[in-house]
Protein backbone atom coordinates (compact mmCIF):
# COMPACT_ATOMS: atom_id res chain seq x y z
CA UNK A 1 0.00 0.00 0.00
CA UNK A 2 1.18 3.53 -0.76
CA UNK A 3 2.40 5.77 2.05
CA UNK A 4 -0.13 7.14 4.52
CA UNK A 5 -0.93 10.81 3.86
CA UNK A 6 -1.88 12.58 7.10
CA UNK A 7 -4.33 15.46 7.26
CA UNK A 8 -2.11 18.03 8.95
CA UNK A 9 1.13 17.37 10.79
CA UNK A 10 3.88 19.62 12.15
CA UNK A 11 6.91 20.53 10.05
CA UNK A 12 9.93 20.63 12.34
CA UNK A 13 12.85 20.83 9.95
CA UNK A 14 14.32 24.17 11.03
CA UNK A 15 16.10 25.13 14.26
CA UNK A 16 13.56 23.42 16.55
CA UNK A 17 15.96 20.79 17.90
CA UNK A 18 18.78 23.29 18.34
CA UNK A 19 16.72 25.82 20.31
CA UNK A 20 15.04 23.13 22.44
CA UNK A 21 18.47 21.66 23.28
CA UNK A 22 19.65 25.14 24.23
CA UNK A 23 16.65 25.69 26.53
CA UNK A 24 17.31 22.33 28.21
CA UNK A 25 21.07 22.90 28.42
CA UNK A 26 20.47 26.27 30.10
CA UNK A 27 17.80 24.74 32.34
CA UNK A 28 15.18 27.30 31.34
CA UNK A 29 12.29 24.93 30.82
CA UNK A 30 9.40 26.52 32.67
CA UNK A 31 7.43 29.79 32.49
CA UNK A 32 10.47 32.06 32.44
CA UNK A 33 13.33 32.19 29.97
CA UNK A 34 14.59 34.12 26.96
CA UNK A 35 12.62 32.28 24.26
CA UNK A 36 9.26 33.40 25.62
CA UNK A 37 10.07 37.07 25.14
CA UNK A 38 11.64 36.33 21.77
CA UNK A 39 8.55 34.47 20.60
CA UNK A 40 6.34 37.36 21.73
CA UNK A 41 8.51 39.82 19.85
CA UNK A 42 8.52 37.71 16.69
CA UNK A 43 4.74 37.31 16.61
CA UNK A 44 4.19 41.02 17.37
CA UNK A 45 6.60 42.06 14.60
CA UNK A 46 5.04 39.61 12.14
CA UNK A 47 1.48 40.81 12.85
CA UNK A 48 2.56 44.45 12.86
CA UNK A 49 1.65 45.21 16.49
CA UNK A 50 3.63 46.59 19.42
CA UNK A 51 3.30 43.70 21.79
CA UNK A 52 2.00 40.16 22.31
CA UNK A 53 1.43 37.91 25.32
CA UNK A 54 2.39 34.23 25.09
CA UNK A 55 0.13 31.72 26.81
CA UNK A 56 -0.44 27.98 27.21
CA UNK A 57 -3.02 27.56 24.44
CA UNK A 58 -5.42 29.41 22.23
CA UNK A 59 -8.17 28.34 24.60
CA UNK A 60 -6.38 29.91 27.58
CA UNK A 61 -5.89 33.09 25.54
CA UNK A 62 -9.58 33.25 24.65
CA UNK A 63 -10.51 32.73 28.30
CA UNK A 64 -8.26 35.56 29.47
CA UNK A 65 -9.55 37.76 26.65
CA UNK A 66 -13.22 37.30 27.48
CA UNK A 67 -12.56 38.13 31.14
CA UNK A 68 -10.51 41.16 30.11
CA UNK A 69 -13.35 42.40 27.92
CA UNK A 70 -15.55 42.46 30.98
CA UNK A 71 -17.73 39.48 30.10
CA UNK A 72 -19.47 38.17 33.22
CA UNK A 73 -21.98 35.44 34.07
CA UNK A 74 -24.73 38.01 33.45
CA UNK A 75 -23.76 38.51 29.81
CA UNK A 76 -24.40 37.12 26.35
CA UNK A 77 -21.53 36.34 23.97
CA UNK A 78 -22.30 36.05 20.24
CA UNK A 79 -20.44 33.14 18.66
CA UNK A 80 -20.62 31.25 15.35
CA UNK A 81 -22.09 27.77 15.45
CA UNK A 82 -19.58 26.63 12.80
CA UNK A 83 -16.36 26.59 14.79
CA UNK A 84 -14.19 24.46 17.04
CA UNK A 85 -15.66 24.15 20.54
CA UNK A 86 -12.73 26.07 22.09
CA UNK A 87 -14.23 29.29 20.68
CA UNK A 88 -17.29 28.79 22.86
CA UNK A 89 -16.10 27.00 26.00
CA UNK A 90 -14.35 30.06 27.51
CA UNK A 91 -17.76 31.78 27.66
CA UNK A 92 -18.98 28.79 29.69
CA UNK A 93 -15.96 28.95 32.02
CA UNK A 94 -17.17 32.43 32.96
CA UNK A 95 -20.81 31.38 33.14
CA UNK A 96 -21.77 33.64 30.23
CA UNK A 97 -24.51 32.67 27.78
CA UNK A 98 -23.58 31.94 24.16
CA UNK A 99 -26.00 32.82 21.38
CA UNK A 100 -25.18 31.03 18.14
CA UNK A 101 -24.91 32.73 14.77
CA UNK A 102 -24.87 31.44 11.19
CA UNK A 103 -21.97 31.61 8.74
CA UNK A 104 -21.86 33.00 5.21
CA UNK A 105 -19.98 31.64 2.19
CA UNK A 106 -16.64 32.48 3.80
CA UNK A 107 -17.51 29.86 6.48
CA UNK A 108 -17.13 32.73 8.99
CA UNK A 109 -19.88 34.50 10.95
CA UNK A 110 -22.51 36.14 8.71
CA UNK A 111 -22.45 39.89 9.46
CA UNK A 112 -25.84 40.46 7.86
CA UNK A 113 -27.54 38.04 10.23
CA UNK A 114 -25.48 39.42 13.10
CA UNK A 115 -26.89 42.88 12.38
CA UNK A 116 -30.40 41.48 11.99
CA UNK A 117 -30.11 39.74 15.35
CA UNK A 118 -29.06 43.00 17.00
CA UNK A 119 -31.92 44.87 15.31
CA UNK A 120 -34.69 42.34 15.82
CA UNK A 121 -33.86 40.34 18.91
CA UNK A 122 -32.30 43.11 20.96
CA UNK A 123 -32.82 46.67 22.13
CA UNK A 124 -30.49 49.43 23.29
CA UNK A 125 -30.98 50.62 26.86
CA UNK A 126 -28.74 53.49 28.01
CA UNK A 127 -26.18 52.66 25.34
CA UNK A 128 -26.11 48.95 26.20
CA UNK A 129 -27.47 46.19 23.95
CA UNK A 130 -29.89 43.75 25.60
CA UNK A 131 -31.29 40.51 24.21
CA UNK A 132 -35.03 40.98 24.81
CA UNK A 133 -35.79 37.28 25.34
CA UNK A 134 -33.03 36.71 27.91
CA UNK A 135 -33.11 40.27 29.28
CA UNK A 136 -29.32 40.05 29.36
CA UNK A 137 -26.60 42.39 28.17
CA UNK A 138 -24.93 41.42 24.87
CA UNK A 139 -21.34 42.17 25.65
CA UNK A 140 -19.14 40.66 22.99
CA UNK A 141 -18.99 39.08 19.54
CA UNK A 142 -16.37 36.47 18.67
CA UNK A 143 -15.71 36.23 14.93
CA UNK A 144 -13.63 33.18 13.99
CA UNK A 145 -11.34 33.30 10.96
CA UNK A 146 -12.21 29.78 9.85
CA UNK A 147 -9.44 27.78 8.10
CA UNK A 148 -7.42 30.98 7.58
CA UNK A 149 -10.17 32.72 5.65
CA UNK A 150 -11.13 36.07 7.18
CA UNK A 151 -14.45 37.12 8.63
CA UNK A 152 -15.87 40.35 7.21
CA UNK A 153 -14.26 42.62 9.80
CA UNK A 154 -15.35 45.80 7.97
CA UNK A 155 -18.99 44.91 8.57
CA UNK A 156 -18.44 43.35 12.00
CA UNK A 157 -16.60 46.40 13.36
CA UNK A 158 -19.34 48.67 12.06
CA UNK A 159 -21.97 46.58 13.84
CA UNK A 160 -19.85 46.51 17.01
CA UNK A 161 -19.50 50.29 16.88
CA UNK A 162 -23.26 50.75 16.38
CA UNK A 163 -24.26 48.42 19.20
CA UNK A 164 -21.32 48.99 21.56
CA UNK A 165 -20.06 45.42 21.44
CA UNK A 166 -16.56 44.28 22.28
CA UNK A 167 -14.89 42.22 19.54
CA UNK A 168 -12.70 39.20 20.28
CA UNK A 169 -11.11 37.78 17.13
CA UNK A 170 -10.57 34.04 17.33
CA UNK A 171 -7.55 34.11 15.02
CA UNK A 172 -6.41 30.67 16.20
CA UNK A 173 -6.33 29.36 12.61
CA UNK A 174 -5.33 32.51 10.75
CA UNK A 175 -1.79 33.51 11.70
CA UNK A 176 -0.43 34.90 8.43
CA UNK A 177 -3.77 35.99 6.93
CA UNK A 178 -4.39 39.66 6.29
CA UNK A 179 -6.75 42.01 4.50
CA UNK A 180 -5.69 43.26 1.07
CA UNK A 181 -8.58 45.71 0.52
CA UNK A 182 -11.17 47.73 2.43
CA UNK A 183 -10.95 49.69 5.66
CA UNK A 184 -8.40 47.26 7.12
CA UNK A 185 -6.18 46.70 4.06
CA UNK A 186 -2.74 45.51 5.16
CA UNK A 187 -3.91 44.56 8.65
CA UNK A 188 -3.37 41.05 9.99
CA UNK A 189 -6.12 38.93 11.48
CA UNK A 190 -6.36 39.47 15.22
CA UNK A 191 -5.30 43.12 15.05
CA UNK A 192 -8.69 44.64 14.27
CA UNK A 193 -11.01 43.77 17.14
CA UNK A 194 -10.32 44.65 20.77
CA UNK A 195 -8.34 41.46 21.33
CA UNK A 196 -7.08 38.71 19.00
CA UNK A 197 -5.83 35.23 19.86
CA UNK A 198 -3.62 32.83 17.87
CA UNK A 199 -3.13 29.11 18.53
CA UNK A 200 0.04 27.06 18.11
CA UNK A 201 -1.58 23.70 18.60
CA UNK A 202 0.03 20.79 16.71
CA UNK A 203 -2.13 21.13 13.60
CA UNK A 204 -1.74 24.90 13.18
CA UNK A 205 0.47 26.66 10.60
CA UNK A 206 3.18 26.88 13.24
CA UNK A 207 3.25 24.90 16.45
CA UNK A 208 4.71 25.04 19.94
CA UNK A 209 3.19 21.64 20.77
CA UNK A 210 0.50 23.53 22.65
CA UNK A 211 0.46 27.29 22.97
CA UNK A 212 -1.18 30.56 22.10
CA UNK A 213 -0.58 34.28 21.72
CA UNK A 214 -2.75 37.25 22.62
CA UNK A 215 -2.61 40.62 20.91
CA UNK A 216 -4.70 43.71 21.55
CA UNK A 217 -5.09 47.29 20.47
CA UNK A 218 -5.46 48.19 24.17
CA UNK A 219 -1.98 48.02 25.78
CA UNK A 220 -3.44 48.16 29.29
CA UNK A 221 -5.59 45.09 28.59
CA UNK A 222 -2.59 43.21 27.27
CA UNK A 223 -0.55 44.09 30.38
CA UNK A 224 -3.38 42.91 32.62
CA UNK A 225 -3.77 39.63 30.73
CA UNK A 226 -0.02 39.06 31.06
CA UNK A 227 -0.41 39.60 34.81
CA UNK A 228 -3.41 37.26 35.08
CA UNK A 229 -1.62 34.57 33.03
CA UNK A 230 1.17 34.46 35.62
CA UNK A 231 -0.96 33.81 38.70
CA UNK A 232 -1.55 37.57 39.14
CA UNK A 233 1.78 37.74 40.89
CA UNK A 234 2.57 41.29 42.02
CA UNK A 235 6.04 40.58 43.25
CA UNK A 236 8.37 37.66 42.48
CA UNK A 237 9.51 37.04 46.08
CA UNK A 238 6.74 37.90 48.50
CA UNK A 239 3.80 35.95 47.05
CA UNK A 240 1.52 38.94 46.86
CA UNK A 241 -1.44 38.39 44.54
CA UNK A 242 -4.02 41.15 44.16
CA UNK A 243 -6.38 39.12 41.99
CA UNK A 244 -7.34 35.56 41.19
CA UNK A 245 -4.83 34.61 38.50
CA UNK A 246 -4.25 31.67 36.17
CA UNK A 247 -1.33 29.41 35.36
CA UNK A 248 -1.58 30.22 31.66
CA UNK A 249 1.94 31.36 30.77
CA UNK A 250 3.78 29.69 27.88
CA UNK A 251 6.91 27.75 28.86
CA UNK A 252 10.40 28.43 27.54
CA UNK A 253 10.44 24.93 26.01
CA UNK A 254 7.29 25.66 24.04
CA UNK A 255 8.66 29.05 23.04
CA UNK A 256 11.98 27.54 21.87
CA UNK A 257 9.98 25.43 19.45
CA UNK A 258 7.91 28.49 18.52
CA UNK A 259 10.88 30.74 17.77
CA UNK A 260 12.22 28.15 15.33
CA UNK A 261 8.76 27.82 13.77
CA UNK A 262 8.30 31.59 13.46
CA UNK A 263 11.52 31.74 11.44
CA UNK A 264 9.80 29.53 8.88
CA UNK A 265 6.32 31.06 8.94
CA UNK A 266 6.55 33.14 5.73
CA UNK A 267 7.79 30.01 3.92
CA UNK A 268 4.94 27.92 5.38
CA UNK A 269 2.36 30.48 4.20
CA UNK A 270 3.85 30.27 0.72
CA UNK A 271 3.76 26.47 0.73
CA UNK A 272 0.13 26.41 1.92
CA UNK A 273 -0.75 28.74 -0.96
CA UNK A 274 1.27 26.73 -3.50
CA UNK A 275 -0.25 23.43 -2.41
CA UNK A 276 -3.75 24.92 -2.58
CA UNK A 277 -2.98 26.01 -6.17
CA UNK A 278 -1.58 22.54 -6.92
CA UNK A 279 -4.88 20.90 -5.85
CA UNK A 280 -6.77 23.27 -8.16
CA UNK A 281 -4.39 22.44 -11.01
CA UNK A 282 -5.08 18.76 -10.34
CA UNK A 283 -8.76 19.51 -10.88
CA UNK A 284 -9.86 19.39 -7.22
CA UNK A 285 -12.38 22.22 -6.81
CA UNK A 286 -11.42 23.39 -3.32
CA UNK A 287 -13.75 25.89 -1.65
CA UNK A 288 -12.37 29.40 -2.33
CA UNK A 289 -10.92 31.84 0.16
CA UNK A 290 -12.00 35.49 -0.05
CA UNK A 291 -10.40 37.32 -2.94
CA UNK A 292 -9.85 40.57 -1.04
CA UNK A 293 -7.41 39.00 1.43
CA UNK A 294 -4.01 37.37 1.50
CA UNK A 295 -4.79 34.13 3.27
CA UNK A 296 -2.49 31.66 4.97
CA UNK A 297 -4.76 29.01 3.35
CA UNK A 298 -4.30 26.90 6.43
CA UNK A 299 -6.96 24.23 5.79
CA UNK A 300 -8.42 23.12 2.47
CA UNK A 301 -12.12 22.36 2.13
CA UNK A 302 -13.57 20.10 -0.55
CA UNK A 303 -17.38 20.08 -0.73
CA UNK A 304 -19.16 16.80 -1.35
CA UNK A 305 -22.68 16.91 -2.88
CA UNK A 306 -24.32 15.86 0.42
CA UNK A 307 -23.63 14.23 3.81
CA UNK A 308 -23.90 10.69 2.45
CA UNK A 309 -21.40 11.40 -0.34
CA UNK A 310 -19.13 13.12 2.21
CA UNK A 311 -19.09 10.05 4.46
CA UNK A 312 -18.50 7.71 1.55
CA UNK A 313 -15.66 9.86 0.22
CA UNK A 314 -13.95 9.98 3.63
CA UNK A 315 -14.28 6.22 4.12
CA UNK A 316 -12.91 5.47 0.64
CA UNK A 317 -9.99 7.87 1.07
CA UNK A 318 -9.18 6.25 4.39
CA UNK A 319 -8.97 2.85 2.65
CA UNK A 320 -6.40 4.42 0.32
CA UNK A 321 -4.32 5.72 3.24
CA UNK A 322 -5.48 9.32 2.89
CA UNK A 323 -6.55 11.01 6.12
CA UNK A 324 -9.39 13.53 5.98
CA UNK A 325 -11.95 14.91 8.42
CA UNK A 326 -15.37 16.43 8.31
CA UNK A 327 -15.87 19.97 9.58
CA UNK A 328 -16.80 20.33 13.27
CA UNK A 329 -20.19 19.42 14.65
CA UNK A 330 -22.30 22.55 14.87
CA UNK A 331 -21.97 23.97 18.36
CA UNK A 332 -25.70 24.41 18.98
CA UNK A 333 -26.20 20.67 18.39
CA UNK A 334 -23.62 19.56 20.96
CA UNK A 335 -24.78 18.44 24.41
CA UNK A 336 -23.31 21.35 26.40
CA UNK A 337 -24.96 23.91 24.10
CA UNK A 338 -28.08 22.13 22.87
CA UNK A 339 -30.50 24.39 24.76
CA UNK A 340 -28.91 27.66 23.72
CA UNK A 341 -30.48 30.33 21.57
CA UNK A 342 -29.65 30.35 17.86
CA UNK A 343 -30.39 32.92 15.22
CA UNK A 344 -31.47 31.78 11.71
CA UNK A 345 -28.87 29.06 11.26
CA UNK A 346 -29.06 27.79 7.69
CA UNK A 347 -25.77 27.93 5.79
CA UNK A 348 -23.78 26.37 8.62
CA UNK A 349 -25.94 23.24 8.31
CA UNK A 350 -25.32 23.13 4.56
CA UNK A 351 -21.55 23.41 4.97
CA UNK A 352 -21.55 20.99 7.88
CA UNK A 353 -23.04 18.30 5.66
CA UNK A 354 -20.56 18.77 2.83
CA UNK A 355 -17.10 19.90 3.93
CA UNK A 356 -14.24 17.42 3.82
CA UNK A 357 -10.83 18.72 4.84
CA UNK A 358 -8.06 17.31 2.65
CA UNK A 359 -4.38 16.77 3.53
CA UNK A 360 -2.70 20.17 3.83
CA UNK A 361 0.56 19.74 5.77
CA UNK A 362 3.42 22.02 4.71
CA UNK A 363 5.54 18.95 3.97
CA UNK A 364 2.99 17.49 1.57
CA UNK A 365 4.59 16.51 -1.76
CA UNK A 366 3.26 17.12 -5.27
CA UNK A 367 3.10 13.37 -5.76
CA UNK A 368 0.86 13.08 -2.67
CA UNK A 369 -1.41 15.87 -3.92
CA UNK A 370 -1.65 14.02 -7.23
CA UNK A 371 -2.59 10.82 -5.39
CA UNK A 372 -5.32 12.57 -3.38
CA UNK A 373 -6.73 14.20 -6.53
CA UNK A 374 -6.72 10.93 -8.44
CA UNK A 375 -8.43 9.11 -5.57
CA UNK A 376 -11.15 11.79 -5.37
CA UNK A 377 -11.74 11.53 -9.13
CA UNK A 378 -12.10 7.75 -8.90
CA UNK A 379 -14.40 7.81 -5.89
CA UNK A 380 -16.59 10.68 -7.06
CA UNK A 381 -16.68 9.31 -10.61
CA UNK A 382 -15.52 12.60 -12.09
C1 LIG B 1 -11.10 28.14 15.81
C2 LIG B 1 -10.29 27.68 16.97
N1 LIG B 1 -10.48 28.27 18.17
C3 LIG B 1 -9.77 27.91 19.24
C4 LIG B 1 -8.82 26.92 19.18
C5 LIG B 1 -8.12 26.54 20.44
O1 LIG B 1 -6.76 26.60 20.37
P1 LIG B 1 -5.86 25.64 21.31
O2 LIG B 1 -5.96 24.26 20.75
O3 LIG B 1 -4.49 26.23 21.16
O4 LIG B 1 -6.38 25.77 22.69
C6 LIG B 1 -8.58 26.28 17.96
C7 LIG B 1 -7.57 25.22 17.77
O5 LIG B 1 -7.33 24.28 18.37
C8 LIG B 1 -9.35 26.65 16.83
O6 LIG B 1 -9.18 26.03 15.66
Amino acid sequence: MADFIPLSVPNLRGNEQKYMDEAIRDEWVSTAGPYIKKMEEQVAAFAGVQEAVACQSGTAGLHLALMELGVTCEDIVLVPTLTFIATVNPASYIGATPVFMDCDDTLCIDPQKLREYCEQECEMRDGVLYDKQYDKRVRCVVPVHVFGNLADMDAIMEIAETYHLMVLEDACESLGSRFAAGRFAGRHSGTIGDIGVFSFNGNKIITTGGGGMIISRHPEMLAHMRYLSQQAKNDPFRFVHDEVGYNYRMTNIQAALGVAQMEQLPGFVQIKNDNYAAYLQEGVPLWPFREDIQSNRWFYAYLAPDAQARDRLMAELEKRGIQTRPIWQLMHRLKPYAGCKTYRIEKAVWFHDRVVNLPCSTNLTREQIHRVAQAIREIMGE
Side-chain angles (χ1 to χ4, degrees):
M1 188 164 149
D3 289 346
F4 175 70
I5 307 177
L7 176 70
S8 175
V9 289
N11 185 338
L12 307 172
R13 296 172 190 176
N15 286 317
E16 289 82 3
Q17 187 75 58
K18 182 169 167 239
Y19 296 165
M20 296 268 288
D21 285 350
E22 218 168 272
I24 292 166
R25 184 200 64 204
D26 296 343
E27 298 178 334
W28 286 106
V29 295
S30 193
T31 52
Y35 279 115
I36 304 170
K37 185 157 182 283
K38 205 161 174 190
M39 174 80 179
E40 289 179 336
E41 286 169 356
Q42 276 175 315
V43 173
F46 180 84
V49 294
Q50 287 291 316
E51 233 188 310
V53 170
C55 55
Q56 277 291 336
S57 65
T59 311
L62 291 166
H63 185 200
L64 289 173
L66 277 186
M67 290 188 291
E68 193 61 38
L69 294 173
V71 175
T72 71
C73 60
E74 310 269 283
D75 296 327
I76 286 172
V77 178
L78 305 177
V79 283
T81 190
L82 190 72
T83 187
F84 181 54
I85 196 165
T87 306
V88 187
N89 283 343
S92 298
Y93 303 162
I94 297 170
T97 305
V99 169
F100 291 103
M101 296 284 137
D102 201 13
C103 66
D104 61 17
D105 286 340
T106 65
L107 303 175
C108 306
I109 196 166
D110 181 341
Q112 225 164 313
K113 285 184 178 167
L114 177 66
R115 182 184 289 285
E116 249 178 59
Y117 162 82
C118 294
E119 276 169 8
Q120 292 174 13
E121 297 287 313
C122 304
E123 63 189 13
M124 290 295 269
R125 294 184 212 150
D126 296 328
V128 178
L129 191 69
Y130 281 83
D131 179 295
K132 289 185 280 191
Q133 181 193 342
Y134 280 127
D135 195 26
K136 281 187 173 180
R137 179 175 75 154
V138 185
R139 178 69 181 167
C140 183
V141 57
V142 189
V144 181
H145 301 301
V146 174
F147 298 160
N149 208 2
L150 293 183
D152 184 349
M153 293 306 293
D154 275 42
I156 292 166
M157 292 309 287
E158 203 189 297
I159 295 164
E161 283 151 19
T162 305
Y163 293 103
H164 303 172
L165 302 176
M166 304 305 266
V167 179
L168 168 56
E169 286 182 76
D170 180 340
C172 283
E173 304 182 350
S174 61
L175 180 66
S177 295
R178 60 193 144 132
F179 287 94
R183 179 177 165 195
F184 302 114
R187 298 264 294 271
H188 279 254
S189 71
T191 68
I192 294 159
D194 293 281
I195 299 178
V197 177
F198 300 116
S199 163
F200 311 128
N201 185 30
N203 65 354
K204 297 300 184 286
I205 192 155
I206 66 155
T207 186
T208 58
M213 192 70 73
I214 315 171
I215 56 176
S216 174
R217 59 192 167 93
H218 308 287
E220 72 291 352
M221 285 191 177
L222 214 45
H224 188 239
M225 286 186 280
R226 185 188 296 282
Y227 168 74
L228 287 182
S229 76
Q230 297 177 93
Q231 304 282 23
K233 194 190 298 168
N234 288 23
D235 161 319
F237 302 113
R238 292 175 218 279
F239 298 102
V240 179
H241 307 263
D242 280 349
E243 287 184 59
V244 175
Y246 298 81
N247 185 9
Y248 278 175
R249 186 72 169 151
M250 181 180 276
T251 68
N252 198 50
I253 289 274
Q254 290 168 313
L257 203 57
V259 166
Q261 290 271 285
M262 278 304 292
E263 291 170 354
Q264 301 165 83
L265 177 57
F268 288 166
V269 173
Q270 189 61 51
I271 293 169
K272 289 275 188 187
N273 275 268
D274 291 349
N275 285 347
Y276 180 90
Y279 270 112
L280 295 186
Q281 277 161 16
E282 287 278 356
V284 180
L286 293 177
W287 192 249
F289 289 81
R290 285 172 58 151
E291 281 176 8
D292 58 351
I293 67 168
Q294 284 180 304
S295 172
N296 69 359
R297 289 187 157 84
W298 172 63
F299 248 48
Y300 310 149
Y302 173 87
L303 266 64
D306 54 38
Q308 213 181 352
R310 172 201 63 188
D311 292 345
R312 189 177 140 259
L313 174 63
M314 289 193 304
E316 289 295 325
L317 287 173
E318 194 183 348
K319 282 187 206 158
R320 291 164 169 80
I322 298 167
Q323 189 180 36
T324 62
R325 66 156 212 203
I327 203 165
W328 314 282
Q329 293 290 344
L330 300 178
M331 292 301 108
H332 72 280
R333 290 173 169 174
L334 293 177
K335 256 190 198 168
Y337 299 112
C340 292
K341 180 165 173 167
T342 59
Y343 184 74
R344 291 192 52 213
I345 289 171
E346 292 144 341
K347 276 211 166 148
V349 175
W350 193 86
F351 281 110
H352 169 267
D353 288 349
R354 289 166 177 77
V355 170
V356 178
N357 289 125
L358 299 182
C360 62
S361 308
T362 48
N363 46 30
L364 199 63
T365 64
R366 286 301 154 95
E367 191 274 327
Q368 288 175 322
I369 291 173
H370 180 70
R371 242 182 75 203
V372 176
Q374 207 165 23
I376 293 175
R377 270 195 299 275
E378 279 169 28
I379 297 160
M380 302 305 291
E382 283 167 12

